[in-house]
Amino acid sequence: MENGEKKKIILSCIQPTGTPTLGNYLGALRNWKALEEDFYSYFAVADLHAITVRQEPKNLREQILRTYALLMAIGLDPEKSTLFIQSHVPAHSQLAWLLSCNTQFGELSRMTQFKDKSKTHPDNINAGLFTYPVLMAADILLYQADCVPVGDDQRQHLEIARDIAVRFNGAYGNVFKIPEAYIGKNGARVMSLANPEKKMSKSDANKNAFISILDEPNVIMKKFKRAVTDSEAKVRYAEGKDGINNLMGIYSCITGKSYEEIEDEFDGKGYGDFKVAVGESVIAELEPVQKRFNELMNDRAYLKDCYELGAQKANHFSARTLNKAMKKMGFLLN
Ligand code: TRP
């Protein structure tokens, strides 16, 4: 950060549905920690987004807390960032309504995630699933975020948030900053261990296809040993070697070694040795996260202090933007 340059605002959210995978961790979460230093950062558990799919209340409550604890376990600091739970900040739902009246049915109908989810859950195509992108736009716009780290699957959602913001500003006057996508440094794209042509996903029916960041060390090792490779038996990065390329990507991301260095390191060695090395690096990387997570889950009073502080800071900042938007639209406020 140059002297005198104003820190920018960054925001991202994670849904409290299931435990994140190694892919979520290396592709996104681990980078959030680095962003915390250079930005004014807002990170939230997007619990309101989770209910577009039917949730069991007891399970949802636990998952929200676990996800919050995980964000802290990866090193995010509730003093440095604003680390909060979306439903603790009513402004998100409020702004979402205002924005939804400035969003067209047609543009929401074109969202690929909506189209995909309507196909996979034909029995529950609820209105929330349809207006999901508007709530996400509210998340982003409330904090005047300059940038949003997003994966490919969320790019279209950021695009529509920008469209909504531009339209609103044009109609009522300048209220929202227009957010940009933040393209991370080397956020790895981690593939399935069972089918390395597919992205690693926590909803994969095959449990061996993904590493959950809370998997026990022996489970992690077992999954890497079973990872699909090829018959060449040479550790090198090349087209057609998706399985090995994926393992090299993971290993490189964790150790900081280049592909060339990895090829040298395993020159003359088999895939067995390489898989063990990858497994060990992942276990060592996740160990402190898991340890901290368990400590936090055993200290719920402390977690509560942290998310209350987060809610207080988030409510404070977001209220300013909400107020401004409401005034500009003509609501009678003090
Ligand atoms: N939709 C995002 C996802 O499923 C989560 C999310 C909600 C989000 N609100 C956000 C991400 C705002 C970035 C910014 O991954």
Side-chain angles (χ1 to χ4, degrees):
M1 191 96 352
E2 297 288 319
N3 249 351
E5 202 178 309
K6 206 165 170 279
K7 270 195 192 182
K8 292 200 164 168
I9 300 172
I10 201 156
L11 173 141
S12 200
C13 306
I14 181 171
Q15 286 201 46
T17 44
T19 307
T21 66
L22 179 66
N24 302 129
Y25 176 73
L26 293 179
L29 297 175
R30 197 172 74 148
N31 302 334
W32 290 9
K33 173 74 193 138
L35 297 171
E36 193 178 54
E37 303 298 324
D38 294 341
F39 292 87
Y40 288 117
S41 39
Y42 292 85
F43 297 117
V45 176
D47 53 351
L48 294 171
H49 278 104
I51 60 167
T52 54
V53 175
R54 187 67 174 266
Q55 301 287 340
E56 210 272 297
K58 193 163 162 275
N59 184 47
L60 179 63
R61 198 172 297 123
E62 190 65 12
Q63 271 306 123
I64 294 168
L65 194 67
R66 286 170 66 88
T67 308
Y68 190 87
L70 256 180
L71 293 182
M72 288 186 59
I74 61 172
L76 296 178
D77 178 347
E79 300 279 342
K80 248 187 228 166
S81 311
T82 298
L83 202 57
F84 67 104
I85 296 171
Q86 184 190 31
S87 65
H88 292 178
V89 185
H92 291 246
S93 312
Q94 292 171 286
L95 183 65
W97 173 252
L98 306 184
L99 298 181
S100 73
C101 296
N102 288 278
T103 305
Q104 296 303 304
F105 182 87
E107 59 188 332
L108 289 176
S109 315
R110 288 190 290 275
M111 303 304 286
T112 41
Q113 186 167 305
F114 172 70
K115 289 192 279 188
D116 291 350
K117 294 222 163 140
S118 322
K119 260 186 229 138
T120 46
H121 302 282
D123 53 331
N124 188 15
I125 309 179
N126 59 73
L129 191 67
F130 189 65
T131 57
Y132 180 113
V134 183
L135 178 59
M136 183 161 157
D139 297 341
I140 298 167
L141 302 178
L142 273 176
Y143 299 93
Q144 307 290 350
D146 293 282
C147 29
V148 183
V150 280
D152 287 339
D153 59 331
Q154 297 297 320
R155 212 161 281 257
Q156 200 185 23
H157 285 157
L158 180 61
E159 228 16 78
I160 198 172
R162 288 166 54 91
D163 292 345
I164 294 170
V166 168
R167 188 178 312 140
F168 189 103
N169 287 350
Y172 304 104
N174 245 340
V175 175
F176 303 119
K177 196 178 284 169
I178 312 303
E180 307 272 345
Y182 177 83
I183 313 295
K185 284 155 250 162
N186 47 352
R189 184 174 154 85
V190 178
M191 311 304 282
S192 154
L193 298 182
N195 176 3
E197 278 151 39
K198 253 180 30 188
K199 207 175 131 189
M200 181 179 281
S201 160
K202 62 187 164 196
S203 47
D204 204 310
N206 177 0
K207 296 266 176 289
N208 287 317
F210 64 92
I211 307 276
S212 144
I213 66 175
L214 296 176
D215 273 349
E216 308 246 336
N218 62 326
V219 175
I220 296 177
M221 190 51 90
K222 197 180 76 200
K223 287 180 178 176
F224 275 111
K225 285 187 176 165
R226 289 199 184 149
V228 166
T229 51
D230 55 72
S231 55
E232 191 194 34
K234 190 167 167 54
V235 177
R236 66 184 185 102
Y237 198 95
E239 205 170 312
K241 290 173 69 77
D242 295 338
I244 287 296
N245 294 349
N246 186 35
L247 297 182
M248 287 179 75
I250 294 169
Y251 192 61
S252 162
C253 192
I254 291 177
T255 60
K257 292 177 185 166
S258 68
Y259 290 153
E260 218 171 40
E261 287 168 318
I262 298 171
E263 287 167 2
D264 287 346
E265 184 179 350
F266 294 95
D267 189 27
K269 296 194 184 138
Y271 288 167
D273 288 345
F274 179 49
K275 284 176 167 182
V276 169
V278 179
E280 279 171 353
S281 73
V282 171
I283 290 167
E285 171 78 22
L286 294 181
E287 198 226 32
V289 176
Q290 299 183 347
K291 186 163 165 268
R292 183 79 186 119
F293 173 78
N294 290 327
E295 285 167 5
L296 287 163
M297 286 306 288
N298 284 321
D299 192 352
R300 297 194 174 206
Y302 177 62
L303 275 178
K304 185 160 180 271
D305 286 345
C306 295
Y307 66 67
E308 282 179 355
L309 173 69
Q312 200 188 329
K313 293 200 277 183
N315 273 308
H316 177 80
F317 197 90
S318 59
R320 298 218 303 247
T321 304
L322 178 66
N323 255 314
K324 198 166 166 195
M326 290 186 75
K327 272 193 189 152
K328 294 264 191 199
M329 285 183 88
F331 289 97
L332 201 58
L333 299 181
N334 297 321

